[in-house]
Amino acid sequence: MKKGLDHVKPFAFIAVSALGGLLVSLTGLPIGWMIGTLLTATVLSIFFPHLINLPQSYNGLPKYWLYIGQLILGIELGQRVNSTVISVFHDNWLTVIIMLLLSVVISLITGLFLWKYSKLDMLTSFFATTPGGLSSIPVIAEEFGANTGVVSIVQTLRAFMVILIIPIVITVWFGHTIPASLVTVETIFQPQQIAVTLLFAGIAVIGCYAGKLLKLPAPWLIGSMISIALMKTLGTVLIGYEFISWWPASLLIISQILIGASIGSRFTKEMFAGLTRTLFVSFVSIWGLIIAMFACAFAVSRFTDITFLTSGLAFAPGGIAEMSTTALVLNGDATFVVAVQVLRVIMVSISLPPLFRFLRYVEQRKTSIFLRSKQAH
């Protein structure tokens, strides 16, 4: 009986959180479903955990809910991939690479700020401020012996702030855009499209597992997007057939709900115990990082043909799924956003571990010299 209730609790949690998404969506705020669901899920998790008590072993919602949300989003994006993103990169690759490198440098500066003004050790501070994503950075941090709990908390806090702040800033800047229901790849229902939809789902799942084997960042999003894009391209080129699925706009809303509820469910009151100073300094450093990334995005939009809306979301220090969803809802170039976000994760994963390994060596050497000096006296 108890196990049966454990399976029902996630559904109840998502349903109640989605009510918050519904209320915020009524304001006309883009990505309102995700923001409202995220806020409601966070409040429930922190202040009312006894009302919808998720099993402790889950550490929030089971991760497959997040994966389902990313899978839906990946299929949506895969159907939109075209030659535009390649041409944009071809024309502006140097500017994009320079700004990505600058974003990594800025994240290191915020890490130094966090280390100097909090009680965290150096490696934990750097990993906490690295814009690599909730799924990848804590794993790398654990390998280096950093405090993965604090890293996860600060990374989650940054994702929370970015999801709340950036869509609102973009909306104020550009005004309300086309509603999400008009932006999606929604098609009129036809019986033969059901078969294509099921085929897309199967191909996307295969792409997800291929992405996991290849160790791609966010494989459930990136793997499904790439596999669907390849399938559509090959269908057009090889057999001259354009695969068109039945894809209702409500699927993007479901994706927003699942992603928002999954992130919000990770927050607990215990996470903030004894971390008041660290969280305050983290809050300030995250604001600094967001402002710096907006400045980079503005510079890109001034010197290239990329719109500020697209560049702002592409360089934003948020998650791949969250920023690409925002781009879809705001009618930006979502595939370009995904490409830049993925490229940054790859750049971070390749360049920062050797740097952190060197910093750990320097720190250990200093500690060793200090201890030997202390023993000598």
Side-chain angles (χ1 to χ4, degrees), residues 74-108:
I75 296 174
E76 170 93 28
L77 291 170
Q79 296 180 80
R80 292 170 170 270
V81 171
N82 50 44
S83 59
T84 303
V85 66
I86 299 175
S87 63
V88 170
F89 260 110
H90 180 268
D91 296 337
N92 306 290
W93 66 271
L94 182 59
T95 304
V96 171
I97 294 298
I98 290 173
M99 288 303 169
L100 283 175
L101 287 172
L102 185 59
S103 71
V104 173
V105 172
I106 293 171
S107 72
L108 291 174

Side-chain angles (χ1 to χ4, degrees), residues 179-332:
S181 59
L182 299 180
V183 176
T184 61
V185 292
E186 183 176 12
T187 54
I188 300 173
F189 173 75
Q190 294 180 13
Q192 65 268 26
Q193 292 177 350
I194 292 292
V196 176
T197 302
L198 295 175
L199 179 62
F200 275 0
I203 295 295
V205 171
I206 294 173
C208 294
Y209 283 102
K212 290 182 69 175
L213 290 175
L214 295 172
K215 296 186 177 180
L216 294 176
W220 286 89
L221 171 63
I222 306 303
S224 59
M225 183 188 77
I226 293 175
S227 62
I228 297 302
L230 285 175
M231 179 182 173
K232 284 181 67 68
T233 302
L234 292 175
T236 303
V237 173
L238 296 181
I239 62 177
Y241 179 77
E242 183 179 0
F243 290 99
I244 299 177
S245 67
W246 177 64
W247 200 253
S250 56
L251 288 176
L252 183 58
I253 294 175
I254 292 172
S255 175
Q256 292 185 57
I257 290 171
L258 295 180
I259 293 172
S262 295
I263 295 174
S265 70
R266 299 288 182 267
F267 285 96
T268 63
K269 191 177 295 184
E270 291 74 19
M271 289 173 61
F272 304 97
L275 293 175
T276 305
R277 181 182 177 85
T278 298
L279 290 172
F280 175 76
V281 177
S282 299
F283 182 84
V284 174
S285 65
I286 291 169
W287 263 109
L289 183 61
I290 291 174
I291 293 171
M293 290 301 97
F294 262 126
C296 291
F298 182 74
V300 170
S301 67
R302 289 297 298 270
F303 294 106
T304 68
D305 295 329
I306 303 169
T307 65
F308 177 66
L309 189 156
T310 296
S311 63
L313 294 171
F315 292 100
I320 300 170
E322 295 80 18
M323 293 303 99
S324 56
T325 303
T326 306
L328 278 173
V329 174
L330 293 174
N331 207 20

